[in-house]
Structure formats: structure tokens, C-alpha cells
Amino acid sequence: MQKLQRRDAFGLLLTDHFAGETCSEFIERDDGYLVATDNLTAYFATFDEWPPRFQQAMGYVCGRVLDVGVGAGRFALYLQEQGHDVVGIDVSPGALEICRRRGVKDVRQMPFHKVDASLGSFDTVLMLGNNFGLFANPRRAKWMLRRLKRLTGPNARIVAESLDIYGTDKPEHLAYHDRNRRRGRMAGEIRLRVRYREVIGDWFDYLMVSQAEMLEIVEDSGWRVDEFIGNNGGQYIGVIEKEG
């Protein structure tokens, strides 16, 4: 196993799947809840295979694009084909190598909160695949939104997907929501890590919000939610416009 992959469970997972192996991703929550996912093909899906909300979201993308949490490059590749200049960022070196092998032209290993002027200015910040979650928590979200205001053009948009977690009736999730509230956190503030084979990734914080919560977080940040796309099973996309 290469040195770069020793903690890069997600990158190794994508690498093996891309090589044709049968793989299962395990997501571990910090309360011990563990779930296996079998949607790896979604990371490699083409436009025609995307759910309607993703297809519709592409109509809101303009100009130069920052693809946050680029993964295997499904959105970056499509937008490149449409003539957009796209920069993809991810913390996974393995994922970035898959992006390069698939033809994504510009990818950088960088956590979202480290985005700065060295990347240039953007017209669209794309956060699909539930990647509104990479704001991590409400306080960091407001700080990052103000930071992104300085790093984007005058008519910029953030196109961000989240999951409304309140539709569940599963005791293990409801207990986690209550645990968060007792700790002074939002119900959808989740701490996760990815496991694959013998590789265990680092813990990271992830924020899942309802539409009302997204509106509240964005308020007074220099941005406003212009509209929502979809709400299938709690999944939706917020189109967030720059104010002023």
C-alpha cells in the first residue's frame, strides 16, 4: 500500500472500484453506529445517470467553478466538457489521482476551510453530493461564507446539497440527534470516518441541515438562499446567491 494511502480509506476505495474490484464503503459515526454503502458507481456516473436534481443544478453553474469535495470527478468532468474552467479540491490524494486519470485538468489537495486567493476567483462554488456538510458546523459555515464572498465574483453562486435528517424514525438516529442537542450542537452535526478493508480514515465533522436551517445559517453572511431544488427523501440543493 502506498504511503499516501495509509489513512486514505476513501481514496483506496475509489481506486479499487475504478480497477473493477467489488468494494464496500463503511461509514462510522462517533457513537459507534456503522453502516455499509453500496453506491460507489454514483461517484463515477455520467450526466444521463444523475438524479434530476443534479441535472437541474447544472443550469445554475456559471463561469469559473470550484468543485468542493471533487471525489472521482463526476461533476468536474461534465462541466469541463461544457467549457467551464474547473478547479477540484479534496483531502483525499487517492481521489485526486483518480480524477487526473479520468481527465480532470486541475485538482488540488486542500481542505475546504483552507481555500484562499491562491486558487483565484470563482463564479460558482459547487458542493453537491451532500457537501454542504463540509461547512462542518454553523459557526464555521458563517465564517466560510464570508470568506467565500471575498474569493468569488460579483454575481457568484454557491450550489450546495444537503440532507434533511429530521424525517427519520430510527431510534439510533433520534438518539444521536438528542445527544447532539444535549451537547449544545445542532442535531445534524455529525462526526464521521470512512473505513475500507484494513484502512481507517481520519475523523471529520459534517453538517446536515433542513431547508429552514440552511436559511438561518446563510442569513447575514453576505449571501442569500434564492431557491431550493428537489426534496426527494430529504435530499435537496440550495441555490445560494451573493448579496450586493
Side-chain angles (χ1 to χ4, degrees):
M1 188 180 304
Q2 296 178 3
K3 184 177 180 180
L4 285 176
Q5 293 181 330
R6 285 180 181 167
R7 297 188 67 85
D8 186 13
F10 181 66
L12 184 60
L13 181 73
L14 293 183
T15 300
D16 283 355
H17 180 81
F18 190 57
E21 296 188 28
T22 300
C23 311
S24 292
E25 175 186 29
F26 289 86
I27 305 295
E28 181 183 5
R29 202 166 58 189
D30 64 341
D31 63 342
Y33 179 76
L34 189 67
V35 62
T37 67
D38 59 357
N39 63 343
L40 289 175
T41 56
Y43 292 116
F44 297 86
T46 60
F47 180 87
D48 291 342
E49 298 168 321
W50 294 352
R53 67 181 182 280
F54 287 171
Q55 295 174 340
Q56 188 176 347
M58 292 299 104
Y60 293 88
V61 175
C62 61
R64 191 165 185 258
V65 181
L66 177 65
D67 188 352
V68 179
V70 65
R74 55 181 161 171
F75 304 119
L77 285 169
Y78 172 79
L79 291 170
Q80 278 182 186
E81 291 169 0
Q82 304 306 306
H84 293 275
D85 180 11
V86 183
V87 177
I89 63 169
D90 210 294
V91 296
S92 165
L96 297 180
E97 179 58 27
I98 292 298
C99 282
R100 295 184 188 100
R101 288 166 61 185
R102 298 184 72 216
V104 182
K105 296 176 183 177
D106 190 349
V107 290
R108 320 282 181 95
Q109 186 178 349
M110 177 182 291
F112 181 37
H113 69 276
K114 293 290 188 180
V115 168
D116 60 22
S118 68
L119 297 180
S121 180
F122 295 95
D123 304 295
T124 304
V125 178
L126 193 66
M127 304 179 72
L128 298 184
N130 284 339
N131 277 343
F132 185 89
L134 296 176
F135 280 121
N137 60 63
R139 182 177 179 181
R140 178 177 284 184
K142 286 186 176 290
W143 175 78
M144 276 300 302
L145 286 164
R146 294 186 182 103
R147 186 180 183 92
L148 290 173
K149 187 176 182 183
R150 299 193 301 272
L151 300 174
T152 52
N155 299 309
R157 290 187 180 121
I158 301 171
V159 181
E161 185 182 26
S162 190
L163 171 66
D164 185 334
I165 49 90
Y166 296 103
T168 186
D169 59 0
K170 293 186 176 181
E172 60 269 32
H173 298 323
L174 296 175
Y176 191 81
H177 300 170
D178 289 340
R179 174 177 180 258
N180 273 339
R181 293 187 187 101
R182 289 195 302 271
R183 298 165 69 194
R185 296 157 61 95
M186 292 182 68
E189 286 187 61
I190 302 170
R191 192 159 177 78
L192 303 170
R193 63 183 178 184
V194 177
R195 303 177 69 119
Y196 173 60
R197 293 184 356 203
E198 75 279 19
V199 183
I200 302 175
D202 294 324
W203 290 106
F204 63 97
D205 294 313
Y206 208 65
L207 179 63
M208 294 183 178
V209 296
S210 66
Q211 292 182 3
E213 288 170 335
M214 184 181 285
L215 287 167
E216 184 177 352
I217 287 169
V218 170
E219 187 176 7
D220 298 326
S221 68
W223 301 84
R224 62 179 178 84
V225 179
D226 185 61
E227 65 179 288
F228 293 112
I229 301 170
N231 191 17
N232 182 22
Q235 302 279 168
Y236 70 92
I237 295 167
V239 179
I240 303 170
E241 303 274 0
K242 200 170 190 178
E243 291 184 331

